[in-house]
Amino acid sequence: MIETSARLLKLLTLLQSPRDWTGAELAGKLQVSPRTVRTDIERLRGLGYPVDATRGSVGGYRLGAGGSLPPLLLDDDEAVAVVIGLRKAAELTGLEESSLQALTKLEQVLPSRLRRRVNSLATFTVQVPHDEPGPLFDPELLTQLTALCRDREQLTFDYLSHRADSSRRKVEPYRLVNWGRRWYLVAFDLDRQDWRTFRVDRISPRIPTGPRFTPRELPEDGDLASYVSRRVSAAAWRYRATVLIHAPADTVVAQLPPAAGTVEPLDDHICLFSTGSDSVKALAVHLGLLDADFEIQTGPPELHAHLQQLAERYDRASRAS
């Protein structure tokens, strides 16, 4: 019985690799007869593992997708990666309970060598805390939205803005983007005929969905991470400024994080930088990253005063040196 169980585990490990195995190949790997391989395949199927068989001159086996989730076999690195991912998911509001349940089940069966690796990672790594707790969201809603993106079905939903204003939206959903502790839906708003981003925790879908739509070309040439980053940052800016920079746009873009703002080329040597932040100090940090001369076209008086203060401070420091 022990020999048979060990052979089944090895067979299952082979079938989990992304390829087809012929009966002869499996028999050679397991050092048994093709008849024993066929018997073991039926045993796995009886345990709930969907083993698909391909017909033809050669034929073969592979592990398919079934109606229920059977036990999984993970190697050492895969198990550690799953544990780390579950601990991270447990920090997301809305996934705490299911993540902790899965984490408890997995950590109970980890061998001591892997438990030591995981505990070392938890003990000797530090995460910067978030300024505010993340919003509550429903994992089923994320699943529903991704299915609509996949199936290209229109969605009508009620949306609550950051000012607590409610509105009805009809969109073509394309992607979900995770930015910080929040999820955003990137969609084409059919009423406004433009691209929009929506916080998932503020979406209340209406049923039924549909009809299907023909996909459009994504904004930002498909770089939705940068697109959402800029849109989300701009929506929260308290201070804004436009800055003329004496450098090519490509050079400036390489020196700034995507969330800092947008860069518009004016010619081969000059560009216009539109930026903003919740503080003038952060605006000054953006400008300090530039390895070029610049002129502030528009901006709050506090920014001019802060830059003057920094200039005097740097001047004193350079003369003292």
Side-chain angles (χ1 to χ4, degrees), residues 11 23-24 31 33-35 40 72 81-82 84 87 112 146 179 190-191 237 270 285 290 298-299 308 314:
L11 174 59
Q31 297 182 346
S33 67
R35 180 178 179 180
D40 288 346
L72 300 176
V82 170
I84 295 172
R87 288 187 173 180
S112 58
T146 53
W179 195 81
L190 294 172
D191 294 327
W237 284 341
I270 299 176
V285 169
L290 302 172
T298 62
Q308 182 63 40
Y314 292 154

Side-chain angles (χ1 to χ4, degrees), residues 211-223:
R212 294 181 181 270
F213 60 87
T214 302
R216 305 171 189 265
E217 185 175 348
L218 294 172
E220 303 285 336
D221 294 326
D223 186 5

Side-chain angles (χ1 to χ4, degrees), residues 5 17 43 101 125 177 207 211 213 238 241 258 266 305:
S5 299
S17 61
R43 287 196 179 103
Q101 289 175 349
T125 57
V177 178
I207 304 299
F213 60 87
R238 180 181 176 187
L266 300 181

Side-chain angles (χ1 to χ4, degrees), residues 284-311:
V285 169
H286 295 163
L287 299 178
L289 294 173
L290 302 172
D291 187 19
D293 292 339
F294 60 85
E295 305 168 25
I296 299 178
Q297 302 291 296
T298 62
E302 297 91 338
L303 177 59
H304 293 268
H306 185 65
L307 290 178
Q308 182 63 40
Q309 183 183 38
L310 289 177

Side-chain angles (χ1 to χ4, degrees), residues 67-303:
S68 60
L69 181 65
L72 300 176
L73 287 181
L74 303 174
D75 64 24
D76 287 5
D77 291 339
E78 291 170 343
V80 172
V82 170
V83 171
I84 295 172
L86 287 172
R87 288 187 173 180
K88 185 66 177 177
E91 301 172 7
L92 298 175
T93 309
L95 287 179
E96 308 101 326
E97 184 176 356
S98 55
S99 299
L100 289 174
Q101 289 175 349
L103 182 61
T104 300
K105 292 177 181 179
L106 183 56
E107 288 186 332
Q108 283 178 342
V109 298
L110 282 180
S112 58
R113 67 180 187 280
L114 296 187
R115 192 177 295 113
R116 179 180 175 85
R117 286 177 57 182
V118 170
N119 290 337
S120 295
L121 283 168
T123 303
F124 296 102
T125 57
V126 178
Q127 180 176 346
V128 177
H130 295 276
D131 295 333
E132 58 179 351
L136 180 66
F137 67 89
D138 184 1
E140 291 186 7
L141 177 57
L142 288 180
T143 302
Q144 179 185 1
L145 293 177
T146 53
L148 292 175
C149 295
R150 178 198 63 206
D151 298 335
R152 300 171 182 172
E153 291 187 13
Q154 292 180 9
L155 170 67
T156 301
F157 59 89
D158 296 322
Y159 189 69
L160 197 65
S161 72
H162 67 282
R163 297 187 183 91
D165 298 327
S166 180
S167 62
R168 181 75 51 83
R169 301 297 185 96
K170 185 177 182 180
V171 304
E172 297 173 350
Y174 282 83
R175 295 289 189 278
L176 283 174
V177 178
N178 179 227
W179 195 81
R181 293 174 67 99
R182 294 184 174 92
W183 287 92
Y184 293 87
L185 173 66
V186 178
F188 189 84
D189 193 311
L190 294 172
D191 294 327
R192 292 157 179 80
Q193 284 296 297
D194 197 7
W195 292 95
R196 292 289 190 271
T197 59
F198 303 95
R199 268 180 52 173
V200 169
D201 57 295
R202 294 174 176 167
I203 292 177
S204 298
R206 287 185 166 267
I207 304 299
T209 59
R212 294 181 181 270
F213 60 87
T214 302
R216 305 171 189 265
E217 185 175 348
L218 294 172
E220 303 285 336
D221 294 326
D223 186 5
L224 297 184
S226 298
Y227 174 76
V228 171
S229 179
R230 282 193 288 269
R231 294 289 293 259
V232 172
S233 297
W237 284 341
R238 180 181 176 187
Y239 299 102
R240 300 172 184 270
T242 55
V243 183
L244 187 69
I245 304 175
H246 295 269
D250 292 343
T251 302
V252 173
V253 169
Q255 296 172 355
L256 295 168
T262 59
V263 179
E264 177 186 356
L266 300 181
D267 59 33
D268 293 340
H269 307 286
I270 299 176
C271 62
L272 192 65
F273 176 39
S274 299
T275 185
S277 181
D278 275 341
S279 70
V280 293
K281 291 183 179 180
L283 283 179
V285 169
H286 295 163
L287 299 178
L289 294 173
L290 302 172
D291 187 19
D293 292 339
F294 60 85
E295 305 168 25
I296 299 178
Q297 302 291 296
T298 62
E302 297 91 338
L303 177 59

